[in-house]
Amino acid sequence: MHDPRQLLDPETDAAAKLRRRGYVLDTDRLSKLMSRRSEVIGEGDQARAQSKKSAAEVQAAARAGDDITELREQARRLKVRIGELEEEQRAVEAELNEFLLAIPNIPLDELPDGATEEYAEEVRQWGSVPEFDFEPLDHVDLGERAGFLDLQRATKLSGPRFAVFKGPGAKLERALAAFFLDVHIAQGYTEFSLPALVTRQTMTGTGQLPKFEEDLFRTAVADRELFLIPTAEVPLVNLHAGEILNLGDLPLRYTAHTPCFRSEAGSYGRDTRGLIRQHEFSKVELVQLVDAESSRDALEEILVHAEEVLQKLGLAYRVIKLPAGDIGFSAQITYDIEVWLPSQQTYREISSASDTGVFQTRRAGIRGKAKDGKRGAVAALNASGLPVGRTLVALVEQYQQADGAIRIPDALVPYTGFAVINADGSTS
């Protein structure tokens, strides 16, 4: 969440920067809310001072034996007025808070202009795009033919956009998650096992609420509202909600493998075939909490950490820097990692690495303190490291053979226990 004073400071040029991402900041409304809050606070302070003075006058008059009827009535009216002003202050602050929570993060100046991926800047490519002397199949045809992917039964169980993995498919899914975690632990991340259900406050801390409520799955049991997480970023960042972190202990590097749940509201008709866009999927997430002054360097590091997984698997990919109008609500800069899909003859997003600056930490109440006691700012970063389903898609498609078999990358064989999924579903 933003500091409203900075949003109104001409030197920050926040309104112009937010326009780059398609958001129009209502500075008039913000100014009026800030002014009204200041006025109400001032009136309240004045009324409390008068009430204190009035109480002293009542006591003095009572000791002197004077009639205190009028003085008591004056004191009563002041107390009523104080209550009214406190209620008005709460109302104004609630309106201001609601207004601020809906404002996205301010994009960094280095981002290109534009609102879609076509305006993104390509940073680098890695690996060789596979070439086949046969017509490559997509992951659905390969998985269903070998019998390790069953979308029809998943639809019977839960409706569209769910998947059932069987035999070597289930083993491959589990192996990928274990492999990802081992890579990231070696990079210096601490693994967590986390709840998949979190509170509204937790969702608000990382920016999923109130903006994206329609994209979330929610449950309520015995009047207790909880949300299914769309990413482990949510609980990982909020582990330290409301805390003051010692800047000398930073960076904190966290990782977790969790299920993720997204309603994909408004996306029907897009990627309806296969595993690209599912309501439920599993993902290994990377989160860093760092001194805000070093967040830009930390983004380059977390990006490389996510890339290392793809490199160890030998999957061709590219990195792009998203334009200002295409970054996520909480991000101030985002790199996308896009993996090559032979069936589509294009790169598709498999990971986003974002620096949110102090946007999420302010919302979650995460503060920093140096050894000398001075206040400091903490920044939060996140990256997918990686989604299991989309990685499986890329692996199956890039490593498919002419006979329909799928070769397993060498780095993954110790986790699967097999080197090939044959076209008939057997392994070897």
Side-chain angles (χ1 to χ4, degrees):
M1 187 166 63
H2 297 285
D3 180 342
R5 294 165 299 182
Q6 291 185 351
L7 291 175
L8 294 173
D9 186 347
E11 292 188 5
T12 65
D13 203 17
K17 292 179 178 180
L18 285 167
R19 279 197 297 272
R20 295 184 67 217
R21 61 176 303 156
Y23 182 87
V24 178
L25 178 63
D26 190 342
T27 53
D28 287 341
R29 183 185 174 197
L30 179 57
S31 296
K32 289 176 182 177
L33 286 170
M34 290 288 289
S35 297
R36 185 54 188 151
R37 185 180 68 168
S38 297
E39 291 170 3
V40 172
I41 291 173
E43 290 177 31
D45 290 343
Q46 186 177 14
R48 279 184 284 272
Q50 291 175 346
S51 179
K52 185 176 180 180
K53 179 180 178 182
S54 179
E57 290 174 348
V58 170
Q59 292 176 359
R63 286 194 296 268
D66 297 337
D67 184 1
I68 61 173
T69 303
E70 180 58 31
L71 288 174
R72 275 183 171 173
E73 177 59 22
Q74 180 182 352
R76 186 193 68 80
R77 289 195 299 269
L78 282 169
K79 287 183 179 180
V80 171
R81 180 56 180 158
I82 289 170
E84 292 172 346
L85 289 168
E86 287 177 344
E87 180 60 32
E88 185 174 357
Q89 181 180 339
R90 283 191 291 269
V92 172
E93 288 181 341
E95 185 178 354
L96 176 60
N97 191 58
E98 182 180 7
F99 179 82
L100 292 172
L101 285 174
I103 301 173
N105 205 347
I106 297 173
L108 296 185
D109 293 341
E110 68 178 86
L111 297 185
D113 290 328
T116 61
E117 188 182 305
E118 65 181 301
Y119 296 98
E121 291 181 358
E122 184 172 283
V123 177
R124 56 181 169 268
Q125 292 186 11
W126 187 93
S128 299
V129 170
E131 297 181 359
F132 303 97
D133 56 6
F134 58 91
E135 186 68 27
L137 300 177
D138 73 2
H139 65 284
V140 177
D141 290 334
L142 289 163
E144 290 184 337
R145 185 165 71 175
F148 65 78
L149 175 64
D150 194 333
L151 298 178
Q152 289 187 348
R153 285 192 172 91
T155 301
K156 178 173 66 175
L157 294 174
S158 306
R161 298 200 179 189
F162 290 89
V164 167
F165 291 99
K166 175 185 176 184
K171 184 68 176 290
L172 181 57
E173 186 182 37
R174 177 158 50 93
L176 283 168
F179 170 70
F180 296 166
L181 288 169
D182 283 351
V183 171
H184 297 316
I185 290 169
Q187 292 167 339
Y189 289 80
T190 300
E191 181 186 359
F192 282 81
S193 178
L194 302 162
L197 289 164
V198 297
T199 65
R200 177 174 287 271
Q201 182 178 1
T202 299
M203 282 289 193
T204 302
T206 41
Q208 277 71 30
L209 289 176
K211 174 71 172 176
F212 301 107
E213 187 154 357
E214 67 172 5
D215 287 322
L216 302 172
F217 285 102
R218 177 174 55 188
T219 182
V221 178
D223 298 325
R224 184 183 181 191
E225 178 188 59
L226 292 170
F227 292 84
L228 289 160
I229 60 170
T231 167
E233 166 198 341
V234 176
L236 283 175
V237 172
N238 281 281
L239 285 171
H240 294 289
E243 297 180 14
I244 299 175
L245 303 181
N246 187 332
L247 295 180
D249 294 335
L250 303 181
L252 300 177
R253 298 184 180 93
Y254 296 159
T255 186
H257 171 229
T258 65
C260 302
F261 305 88
R262 299 180 186 180
S263 73
E264 299 289 359
S267 67
Y268 293 97
R270 298 170 54 202
D271 297 317
T272 55
R273 176 177 168 85
L275 304 175
I276 297 295
R277 197 177 295 273
Q278 296 273 289
H279 290 312
E280 179 182 355
F281 58 97
S282 69
K283 179 158 68 84
V284 171
E285 185 74 2
L286 304 177
V287 161
Q288 290 194 19
L289 296 174
V290 305
D291 188 320
E293 294 182 357
S294 62
S295 70
R296 187 62 185 81
D297 290 337
L299 177 61
E300 299 298 325
E301 178 186 74
I302 202 171
L303 172 65
V304 169
H305 288 163
E307 287 182 79
E308 185 178 340
V309 176
L310 291 170
Q311 291 175 7
K312 287 181 177 296
L313 292 175
L315 295 174
Y317 69 89
R318 71 171 184 169
V319 176
I320 60 173
K321 182 190 292 184
L322 295 185
D326 197 33
I327 59 176
F329 180 81
S330 297
Q332 62 180 9
I333 178 173
T334 296
Y335 289 113
D336 269 3
I337 302 175
E338 297 184 330
V339 69
W340 180 259
L341 293 188
S343 67
Q344 299 182 19
Q345 287 294 293
T346 190
Y347 291 100
R348 295 299 305 272
E349 178 198 342
I350 195 170
S351 175
S352 289
S354 297
D355 175 10
T356 71
V358 300
F359 184 82
Q360 290 183 332
T361 53
R362 280 182 58 88
R363 292 171 75 105
I366 302 172
R367 294 169 291 167
K369 183 174 68 175
K371 287 185 178 180
D372 59 7
K374 292 183 179 179
R375 292 182 180 180
V378 178
L381 302 98
N382 63 81
S384 300
L386 299 162
V388 174
R390 290 195 181 190
T391 308
L392 190 148
V393 168
L395 187 155
V396 166
E397 293 200 8
Q398 289 198 31
Y399 282 99
Q400 63 179 292
Q401 307 298 302
D403 63 357
I406 298 151
R407 187 168 63 82
I408 305 299
D410 292 342
L412 200 58
V413 172
Y415 295 83
T416 59
F418 51 81
V420 177
I421 302 176
N422 297 306
D424 63 0
S426 63
T427 59
S428 57

